[in-house]
């Protein structure tokens, strides 16, 4: 005989099935986390444990740092449940926190509350660093009502990195991926509408490696063409760009007269493009439609720029000739930087000290993007990054002279105030050489491309074609 609580005939008791399903999910989740933990490297395992501590300790830590609010207004449910008439106890609201990890530390996303927003989290950042055992903590706004708290246990600037180019055409044209900042977040610079970039720093601290990264990433695109003046060498087969020469439509060494020819040819190209841009592209600025195979972005790299601009003192004929060439070189490069932006010409100038004697101020001061690796003097740091760097002592490149910081540069980032430090990666020579060889067939003289488009109309620009042998 069935009791009153026995299941009705024909029904099925789902209770044990639900319990079994819940246990299976729990076991599966546990196994997934254990496998993930065991497969991680030692640094990531530490970050996993750190993330667990952050999650478990948040509800206790937040009120201690005044990152919580007291809500004295009872909820509707609490009011209905209050039958004895006693005052309802206020609720303590704590921002919801979601925590992820990487090899360097944790990334937490927190929801804001009334009177607990971006400013309050930023004030608490030093205390969060202590509580979470981090080297540093930064707080930024992710979206309205939410902040991102980045805590790094290890300093990303102290760990050398490598970049392995894929050989694929970049998705975004004129995007320069530099590396990671002091919070291990990727840093990129948009060089759209940028006429010039200056790169300064002591020898051997990463200037050429930084440019090598740009060449490696942009070389697979036929919409970019390169020229180079390398003041460290006398011939194309020497120096850091020996492998890249095959991907360049022009290359000169430390000979001032040869460099002068190249700069003059590029100025002629700039004039030809300025005179014909509306005819060929139908726009005033190339950036309105972006670079293309027929109208590529022309990148001129001037390494050891002081070689070509240095003021030569002396009254003998040879010195006078060098002085005249240096002065004209400066005038020609000034033309490219000040007038080449809209027609798709970019100049990258690298030197040890970007003081006025190395890069004339009328060139340097119109280059909107500047980076500096280690510097020995405050004067050199100011020349490279501007007077404002004095107000950011932590980012001053005079603090990067330790060999640990080879490959680390300071820069004024486009998307945030002040200065940031960036760990730039090293591109293995063998991979750079392989990529240069693979993309060599994409090399084309931009002047010849323009001439092919204009045809008989080329004479309308009334300019002289660059010397093909020199180019």
């Amino acid at each position: 005989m069935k009791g009153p609580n026995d299941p009705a005939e024909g029904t099925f008791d789902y209770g044990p099935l639900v319990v079994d399903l819940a246990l299976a999910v729990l076991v599966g989740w546990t196994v997934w986390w254990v496998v993930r933990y065991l497969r991680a490297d030692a640094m990531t395992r530490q970050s996993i444990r750190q993330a667990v501590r952050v999650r478990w300790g948040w509800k206790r830590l937040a009120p201690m740092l005044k990152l919580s609010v007291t809500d004295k207004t009872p909820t509707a449910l609490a009011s209905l449940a209050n039958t004895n008439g006693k005052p309802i106890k206020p609720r303590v609201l704590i921002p919801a926190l979601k925590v992820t990890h990487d090899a360097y530390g944790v990334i937490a996303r927190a929801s804001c509350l009334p009177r607990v927003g971006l400013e309050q989290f930023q004030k608490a950042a030093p205390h969060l660093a202590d509580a979470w055992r981090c080297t540093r903590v930064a707080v930024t706004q992710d979206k309205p009502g939410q902040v991102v708290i980045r805590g790094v246990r290890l300093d990303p600037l102290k760990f050398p990195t490598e970049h392995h180019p894929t050989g694929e055409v970049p998705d975004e044209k004129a995007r320069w991926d530099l590396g990671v900042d002091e919070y291990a977040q990727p840093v990129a610079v948009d060089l759209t509408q940028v006429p010039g970039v200056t790169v300064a720093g002591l020898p051997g601290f990463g200037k050429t490696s930084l440019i090598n990264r740009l060449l490696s990433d942009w070389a697979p695109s036929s919409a970019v063409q390169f020229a180079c003046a390398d003041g460290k060498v006398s011939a194309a087969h020497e120096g850091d760009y020996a492998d890249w020469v095959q991907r360049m439509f022009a290359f000169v060494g430390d000979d001032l007269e040869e460099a002068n020819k190249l700069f003059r040819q590029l100025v002629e190209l700039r004039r030809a493009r300025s005179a014909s841009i509306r005819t060929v592209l139908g726009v005033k600025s190339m950036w309105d439609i972006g670079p293309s195979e027929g109208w590529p972005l022309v990148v001129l790299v001037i390494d050891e720029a002081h070689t070509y601009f240095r003021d030569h003192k002396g009254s003998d004929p040879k010195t006078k000739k060098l002085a005249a060439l240096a002065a004209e070189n400066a005038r020609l490069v000034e033309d490219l930087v000040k007038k080449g932006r809209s027609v798709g010409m970019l100049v990258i100038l690298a030197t040890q000290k970007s003081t006025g004697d190395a890069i004339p101020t009328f060139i340097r001061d119109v280059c909107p993007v500047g980076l500096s690796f280690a510097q020995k003097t405050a004067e050199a740091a100011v020349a490279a990054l501007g007077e404002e760097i004095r107000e950011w002592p932590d980012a001053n490149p005079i603090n990067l002279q330790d060999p640990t910081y080879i490959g680390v540069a300071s820069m004024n980032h486009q998307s945030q105030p002040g200065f940031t430090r960036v760990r730039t990666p090293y591109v293995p020579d063998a991979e750079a050489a392989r990529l240069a060889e693979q993309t060599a067939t994409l090399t084309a003289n931009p002047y010849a491309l323009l001439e092919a488009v204009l045809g008989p109309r080329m004479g309308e620009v009334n300019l002289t074609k660059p010397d093909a042998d020199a180019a």
Side-chain angles (χ1 to χ4, degrees), residues 14-72:
Y14 288 96
L17 180 61
V18 171
V19 172
D20 291 342
L21 182 61
L23 287 174
V25 171
L26 179 61
V27 170
W29 180 83
T30 303
V31 170
W32 178 79
W33 265 103
V34 170
V35 171
R36 187 182 181 188
Y37 180 82
L38 293 177
R39 294 183 63 182
D41 56 65
M43 289 173 56
T44 304
R45 289 183 188 179
Q46 292 183 52
S47 295
I48 292 174
R49 295 194 297 269
Q50 183 183 25
V52 171
R53 291 196 303 269
V54 169
R55 291 191 197 96
W56 287 357
W58 177 241
K59 288 189 176 181
R60 182 178 182 183
L61 177 64
M64 296 169 63
L65 298 182
K66 298 182 180 180
L67 296 177
S68 63
V69 292
T70 301
D71 184 2
K72 297 182 180 180

Side-chain angles (χ1 to χ4, degrees), residues 214-383:
L214 181 142
L215 295 172
S216 298
D217 288 345
W218 289 11
S221 174
S222 60
V224 184
Q225 297 297 336
F226 304 97
C228 180
D230 187 0
K232 299 192 300 291
V233 301
S234 299
H237 64 273
E238 302 172 352
D240 299 303
Y241 302 102
D243 293 321
W244 283 113
V245 170
Q246 57 192 318
R247 183 59 180 90
M248 296 175 175
F249 69 88
F251 181 92
V252 296
D254 58 2
D255 187 291
L256 264 63
E257 194 166 359
E258 291 300 314
N260 187 260
K261 289 180 182 179
L262 172 60
F263 298 154
R264 277 192 287 110
Q265 290 162 10
L266 290 173
V267 168
E268 293 300 313
L269 171 63
R270 197 277 306 162
R271 290 175 179 170
R273 282 189 165 192
S274 296
S276 61
I277 186 169
R278 290 197 181 189
T279 302
V280 177
L281 300 182
V283 294
K284 294 181 180 179
S285 172
M286 181 275 288
W287 294 110
D288 291 342
I289 58 175
S292 62
E293 184 175 354
W295 193 292
L297 171 64
V298 176
V299 180
L300 170 62
V301 176
I302 307 178
D303 205 343
E304 300 297 336
H306 54 273
T307 302
Y308 307 105
F309 307 133
R310 182 170 64 88
D311 186 16
H312 295 264
K313 303 292 185 181
S315 57
D316 60 284
K318 184 177 179 180
T319 302
K320 286 183 177 181
K321 181 180 179 181
L322 291 175
L325 286 170
E328 188 180 9
N329 286 343
R331 179 184 64 80
L332 293 169
V333 173
E334 178 189 17
D335 179 284
L336 294 174
V337 173
K338 289 186 175 180
K339 301 178 183 179
R341 175 185 57 82
S342 63
V343 296
M345 303 188 77
L346 168 66
V347 181
I348 300 176
L349 302 110
T351 188
Q352 297 175 24
K353 290 173 57 180
S354 55
T355 47
D357 57 338
I359 301 177
T361 55
F362 52 79
I363 297 175
R364 185 193 69 197
D365 294 346
V366 293
C367 293
V369 177
L371 301 95
S372 180
F373 292 86
Q375 295 287 0
K376 279 191 173 182
T377 66
E379 176 198 14
V382 169

Side-chain angles (χ1 to χ4, degrees), residues 11 15 22 37 59 93-94 108 119 137 173-174 176 179 196 225 231 235 262 264 376 391 413 442 446 449 457 460:
T11 64
Y37 180 82
K59 288 189 176 181
L93 303 181
I94 296 173
E119 182 180 353
V137 164
K173 295 176 180 178
W176 190 2
Q225 297 297 336
L262 172 60
R264 277 192 287 110
K376 279 191 173 182
E391 301 174 14
H413 201 278
L442 301 177
L449 294 174
R457 293 176 296 173
E460 297 174 7

Side-chain angles (χ1 to χ4, degrees), residues 51-198:
V52 171
R53 291 196 303 269
V54 169
R55 291 191 197 96
W56 287 357
W58 177 241
K59 288 189 176 181
R60 182 178 182 183
L61 177 64
M64 296 169 63
L65 298 182
K66 298 182 180 180
L67 296 177
S68 63
V69 292
T70 301
D71 184 2
K72 297 182 180 180
T73 304
T75 63
L77 184 61
S79 299
L80 291 174
N82 183 25
T83 58
N84 55 17
K86 293 183 179 180
I88 299 175
K89 186 177 180 181
R91 295 180 303 147
V92 176
L93 303 181
I94 296 173
L97 192 75
K98 295 182 179 180
V99 186
T100 58
H101 65 271
D102 61 14
Y104 296 98
V106 294
I107 305 171
R109 284 175 168 80
S111 300
C112 297
L113 296 173
R115 300 181 66 182
V116 180
L118 176 63
E119 182 180 353
Q120 287 69 37
F121 276 101
Q122 288 177 334
K123 288 182 178 178
H127 306 295
L128 289 172
D130 292 336
W132 293 354
R133 303 174 191 173
C134 290
T135 300
R136 63 178 75 95
V137 164
V139 182
T140 56
Q141 188 169 38
D142 185 26
K143 58 185 179 180
Q146 190 175 79
V147 296
V148 175
I149 310 169
R150 173 53 165 161
V152 290
R153 185 184 67 262
L154 303 171
D155 188 351
L157 301 178
K158 295 184 177 181
F159 292 86
T161 57
E162 286 191 0
H163 175 63
H164 302 280
T166 62
E168 298 177 357
V169 178
D171 294 331
E172 297 182 43
K173 295 176 180 178
R175 173 190 169 96
W176 190 2
D177 292 307
L178 298 175
V180 297
D181 65 12
E182 50 206 294
Y183 295 96
Q185 300 304 294
V187 178
V189 175
D190 183 5
L191 294 182
T192 301
Q193 300 280 9
V194 172
V197 176
T198 60

